[in-house]
């Protein structure tokens, strides 16, 4: 990329939009470290969400087979096109990631015809807009597009929640959802000084290694997520009360007490102490009648 992030923003008269989470990286070393964390190679097809003016896109294009960069803000497109003009392996899509049908990506986007079959793995690498971190990550995790791994720069606090183990205050519905689909790993933290404008929070780079097979066997996936939601819905309540007050299941409080006892879970435990395996056993017990 010719010029620093600051120079490019000035040259194109770009006004950064806070509501779109536009905190651009100014530190090339961080950009390189994020891309290295993604272990991107020529056999990979990389999806980048929110390329901004393309500082990470250029680095990805150097190393990946192909890059699909999805940017919502049309005002950034001229600068992006200029910065990416020497790369023939980048497809720029000016859309809202949350409005896109990822399952259909390679059919609905004419420009991507024939691209998927050329590459072994799909990897996602992005410095995410923080206002929609969770919906974006869940969209990739829950979707049927087969993804090898994902590397995201996100708020440090959210990264900690994703990687949290049972028993701590950070462990919640997000930890269970992310760890059902992947093995999260916090790789490094990034201070606000590495961005313009500086975000109000610390950031962290997290790598999600996607499971080929989920770590637990579920009778009904929907009931699993409902159980997790009910258990964490009222964090201060005991598990028995949280589950029976949630109105999610047809079982009476006494029946729920019986299920917990049968599974060797104390009724006065709290949701945050349950492992994914225990959530799965509980959900499978509820799956019989719900
Ligand atoms: N990749 C650049 C960097 O690292 O410097 C910019 C990252 S900035 C944190 C987030 C980017 O996501 C911005 O360019 C913003 O316009 C874009 N963005 C925000 N909401 C989006 C959405 N719903 N779909 C696609 N891109 C979005």
């Amino acid at each position: 990329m010719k010029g620093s992030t600051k120079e490019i923003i000035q040259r194109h008269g770009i006004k950064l939009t806070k509501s779109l989470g536009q905190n651009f990286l100014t530190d090339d070393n961080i950009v390189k470290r994020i891309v290295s964390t993604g272990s991107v190679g020529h056999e990979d097809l990389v999806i980048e969400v929110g390329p901004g003016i393309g500082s990470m896109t250029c680095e990805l294009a150097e190393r990946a087979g192909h890059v699909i960069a999805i940017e919502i803000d049309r005002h950034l497109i001229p600068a992006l096109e200029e910065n990416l003009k020497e790369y023939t392996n980048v497809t720029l899509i000016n859309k809202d990631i949350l409005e896109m049908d990822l399952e259909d990506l390679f059919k609905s986007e004419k420009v991507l015809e024939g691209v998927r079959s050329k590459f072994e793995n799909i990897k996602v690498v992005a410095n995410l807009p923080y206002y929609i971190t969770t919906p974006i990550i869940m969209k990739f995790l829950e979707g049927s597009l087969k993804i090898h791994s994902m590397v995201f720069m996100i708020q440090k606090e959210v990264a900690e929640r994703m990687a949290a183990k049972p028993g701590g205050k950070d462990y919640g519905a997000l930890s269970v959802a992310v760890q059902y689909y992947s093995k999260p790993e916090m790789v490094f933290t990034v201070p606000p000084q590495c961005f313009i404008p500086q975000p109000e929070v610390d950031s962290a780079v997290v790598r999600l290694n996607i499971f080929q097979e989920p770590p637990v066997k579920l009778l009904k996936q929907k009931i699993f997520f409902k159980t997790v939601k009910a258990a964490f819905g009222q964090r201060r309540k005991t598990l028995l009360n949280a589950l029976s007050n949630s109105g999610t299941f047809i079982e009476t409080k006494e029946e729920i007490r019986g299920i917990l006892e049968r599974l060797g879970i104390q009724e006065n435990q709290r949701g945050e102490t349950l492992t994914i395996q225990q959530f799965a056993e509980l959900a499978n017990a509820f799956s019989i009648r719900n």
Side-chain angles (χ1 to χ4, degrees):
M1 197 166 81
K2 287 201 180 60
S4 69
T5 304
K6 273 186 198 143
E7 280 161 17
I8 293 167
I9 288 173
Q10 269 170 8
R11 182 148 42 85
H12 286 269
I14 292 168
K15 289 203 173 46
L16 296 180
T17 310
K18 200 174 171 189
S19 61
L20 287 177
Q22 292 181 347
N23 300 96
F24 290 177
L25 271 169
T26 51
D27 187 327
D28 275 352
N29 290 322
I30 301 286
V31 170
K32 286 195 167 77
R33 272 182 84 186
I34 295 174
V35 177
S36 297
T37 303
S39 314
V40 172
H42 288 296
E43 64 292 351
D44 296 323
L45 176 58
V46 175
I47 300 178
E48 184 191 10
V49 180
I53 54 156
S55 16
M56 195 149 81
T57 325
C58 292
E59 190 63 29
L60 287 168
E62 294 280 347
R63 303 204 211 171
H66 197 94
V67 182
I68 301 169
I70 302 163
E71 173 56 59
I72 195 172
D73 187 354
R74 66 182 167 82
H75 300 105
L76 300 176
I77 303 299
L80 255 175
E81 281 176 343
E82 185 186 301
N83 291 332
L84 297 171
K85 64 173 184 271
E86 64 184 273
Y87 300 103
T88 54
N89 61 341
V90 180
T91 305
L92 196 55
I93 299 178
N94 181 201
K95 283 194 179 158
D96 178 344
I97 182 72
L98 295 179
E99 295 293 319
M100 289 178 73
D101 184 354
L102 291 175
E103 278 61 54
D104 224 24
L105 182 66
F106 296 96
K107 287 191 205 119
S108 57
E109 300 293 329
K110 271 261 160 286
V111 279
L112 291 176
E113 232 169 51
V115 170
R116 174 67 193 98
S117 58
K118 290 188 196 150
F119 303 99
E120 208 167 304
N121 293 320
I122 301 180
K123 295 182 178 173
V124 181
V125 181
N127 172 15
L128 287 183
Y130 293 174
Y131 74 108
I132 42 171
T133 300
T134 306
I136 294 177
I137 296 183
M138 292 315 295
K139 184 174 175 115
F140 281 108
L141 288 176
E142 289 171 345
S144 59
L145 193 62
K146 210 169 168 305
I147 292 167
H148 173 275
S149 55
M150 315 207 268
V151 171
F152 295 114
M153 167 109 80
I154 58 181
Q155 305 95 302
K156 181 167 168 263
E157 175 239 317
V158 180
E160 283 165 349
R161 285 201 275 130
M162 285 183 182
K165 295 279 167 246
K169 68 169 179 27
D170 290 336
Y171 185 69
L174 182 65
S175 329
V176 178
V178 169
Q179 293 169 35
Y180 171 71
Y181 292 106
S182 69
K183 188 172 179 345
E185 187 192 337
M186 275 261 278
V187 190
F188 59 97
T189 55
V190 182
Q193 295 76 9
C194 296
F195 303 81
I196 48 160
Q198 295 187 13
E200 281 144 25
V201 291
D202 281 330
S203 302
V205 172
V206 67
R207 183 182 158 103
L208 307 184
N209 299 303
I210 311 293
F211 295 133
Q212 301 281 340
E213 291 289 329
V216 287
K217 289 261 173 293
L218 300 178
L219 295 175
K220 292 182 189 164
Q221 186 172 301
K222 218 172 170 181
I223 298 289
F224 173 74
F225 286 109
K226 279 189 175 176
T227 307
V228 172
K229 193 169 167 214
F232 287 111
Q234 298 164 299
R235 282 188 85 108
R236 300 164 72 100
K237 288 220 157 77
T238 64
L239 194 55
L240 176 63
N241 285 337
L243 293 172
S244 57
N245 292 347
S246 68
T248 309
F249 311 107
I250 61 168
E251 281 82 357
T252 61
K253 189 168 181 177
E254 272 321 299
E255 286 170 328
I256 297 179
R257 181 175 277 129
I259 292 175
L260 292 174
E261 203 178 328
R262 195 154 40 77
L263 296 175
I265 301 169
Q266 306 289 319
E267 64 175 70
N268 61 355
Q269 267 181 250
R270 286 171 206 272
E272 63 254 37
T273 62
L274 258 56
T275 62
I276 293 194
Q277 183 61 43
Q278 287 176 309
F279 272 119
E281 287 168 9
L282 196 51
N284 287 345
F286 285 129
S287 293
I288 295 161
R289 287 171 60 200
N290 289 278

